[in-house]
Amino acid sequence: MPRLPWRVAKLVEIRQETATARTLVFQIPGWPGHLAGQHVDVRLTAPDGYSTERSYSVAAPEQGDRVELTVELVPDGEVSPYLLEILEVGDEVEIRGPVGGWFVWRPDHTTPVLLVAGGSGVVPLMAMIRARRAAGSSAPFRLIYSVREPDQRFYLDELANPDPGLDIAYLFTRKTPDGWARPPGRITQADLTGASTDIDSYVCGPTGFVEAAADHLIALGHAPDRIRTERFGPTGG
Ligand SMILES: Cc1cc2nc3c(=O)[nH]c(=O)nc-3n(C[C@H](O)[C@H](O)[C@H](O)COP(=O)(O)OP(=O)(O)OC[C@H]3O[C@@H](n4cnc5c(N)ncnc54)[C@H](O)[C@@H]3O)c2cc1C
């Protein structure tokens, strides 16, 4: 397969999601389009020629030459602080993609879907939720979204009024809103118990979260080949 070309991507819009995360909208002439769930590689090149790249999931379905990413700050990181604190509207980076063909949701899928997100792992799952809305799909969707604290949730306003047929449950691992019934803690089998195992699951987040959630689903009787996973480990070099 031919290697994907690097394309010049101009930052055209910034949206603050949380204190430490932003959505960056890039305009990429010649962008070939993408599916919800895919990711891109972002490459930064310094004036002395040193370059480095990282992977980021697309946060929204295809919209012409616009590609949205949501980046969470890794405080001692090399690329995420640059994208969040230095890059300004009008600046350019290079982007290559789309990458990945397995962790995708297509709008013609009618099977019920379970989305399980840990932290910034919600990004490709949000692309699926938005793709479902854009397509007018009525496939039942359920999002289980685990974060440390309430104010670390991405897309809070948009998810406050879920689309018909989209059910959302938040899990908090360190601090809950006042009066929240579930005590803070990591995802358990009970959090994933649902009526049916005849569903397709998409699990995304840090490696440990993904492995724990996938193990719980298998223990609950979900077929391993219907559990799609994406691990947000360190990337690039
Ligand atoms: C397929 C894929 C999709 C991804 N999509 C997104 C996305 O949509 N949004 C997003 O914010 N990130 C995403 N990531 C993670 C992203 O690629 C970078 O790893 C992250 O932004 C940190 O890069 P950095 O250069 O700032 O940190 P680095 O300089 O690479 O690392 C600094 C320190 O942090 C540790 N570290 C690096 N990355 C992580 C991590 N993800 N979790 C925990 N510790 C880490 C490193 O081991 C190192 O100690 C994705 C990763 C993959 C593999």
Side-chain angles (χ1 to χ4, degrees), residues 42-44 50-55 78-79 234-237:
V42 176
R43 180 164 76 178
L44 307 178
Y50 168 76
S51 79
T52 188
E53 61 195 68
R54 300 288 185 275
S55 300
E78 185 179 18
V79 170
T235 60

Side-chain angles (χ1 to χ4, degrees), residues 83-96:
L83 294 175
L84 296 171
E85 292 163 0
I86 309 281
L87 203 68
E88 294 178 352
V89 167
D91 290 347
E92 293 176 341
V93 299
E94 288 176 292
I95 287 185
R96 174 173 75 180

Side-chain angles (χ1 to χ4, degrees), residues 103-182:
F103 193 82
V104 296
W105 181 80
R106 291 182 169 80
D108 60 354
H109 283 192
T110 53
T111 317
V113 165
L114 173 64
L115 307 172
V116 187
S120 56
V122 74
V123 176
L125 309 184
M126 191 64 188
M128 295 177 192
I129 288 170
R130 290 169 165 165
R132 173 184 182 274
R133 184 189 314 140
S137 163
S138 54
F141 265 39
R142 182 168 175 231
L143 170 66
I144 298 176
Y145 181 10
S146 171
V147 285
R148 285 190 190 142
E149 301 178 3
D151 62 8
Q152 291 186 331
R153 289 173 286 182
F154 295 3
Y155 319 122
L156 198 53
D157 290 345
E158 191 174 336
L159 293 175
N161 296 300
D163 307 321
L166 167 64
D167 177 62
I168 301 173
Y170 292 107
L171 311 176
F172 301 98
T173 59
R174 290 210 187 142
K175 190 178 137 200
T176 67
D178 290 341
W180 197 257
R182 180 188 182 277

